[in-house]
Amino acid sequence: MEYVYSALVLHSAGKEINEEGIAGILNAAGIEPDESRIKALTACLEDVDIDKAIEEGIAMPTAGVSAAPAAEAEEKEEDEEDEEEDRDEDKEKEEAAAGLGSLF
């Protein structure tokens, strides 16, 4: 993430996003830069309009990307709660049946 942030800092400062700039920001932050990650990032950003990407990112928050896993987790939690309620109901019925059985 710090690699992307360094690219955004360069962009915000109006500087060219290049390997030296990213490495410089990472070094200033006390992070040992990984040359291969820097090269990959700069290659990926070559044809990207960062202003447009930021604008679209605001219009479509990244939380939407993780919404599906979150929805699945919520659904799973609801299913587990339903199963627990079913077990509680079954236990209550068994206890009631045992209590009635003792009457006879």
Side-chain angles (χ1 to χ4, degrees):
M1 199 59 137
E2 59 272 4
Y3 291 83
V4 174
Y5 289 145
S6 64
L8 289 173
V9 167
L10 288 170
H11 175 74
S12 178
K15 306 285 183 180
E16 180 183 356
I17 299 173
N18 57 30
E19 294 173 24
E20 296 81 27
I22 293 173
I25 290 173
L26 293 173
N27 281 323
I31 299 168
E32 184 65 34
D34 180 347
E35 302 254 346
S36 62
R37 291 178 76 183
I38 293 173
K39 286 182 184 204
L41 177 63
T42 55
C44 288
L45 293 176
E46 280 180 2
D47 297 325
V48 174
D49 180 350
I50 294 177
D51 289 320
K52 183 177 178 183
I54 290 170
E55 192 176 296
E56 289 175 358
I58 291 170
M60 296 180 63
T62 57
V65 174
S66 63
E72 290 174 7
E74 186 177 320
E75 184 177 326
K76 182 179 178 183
E77 185 178 33
E78 289 175 3
D79 289 345
E80 290 173 355
E81 290 174 1
D82 290 343
E83 288 175 9
E84 187 176 340
E85 288 176 7
D86 291 342
R87 284 191 298 268
D88 289 343
E89 287 178 19
D90 290 343
K91 186 176 179 181
E92 289 175 8
K93 289 178 183 177
E94 288 175 5
E95 289 174 354
L100 287 175
S102 67
L103 291 175
F104 296 103

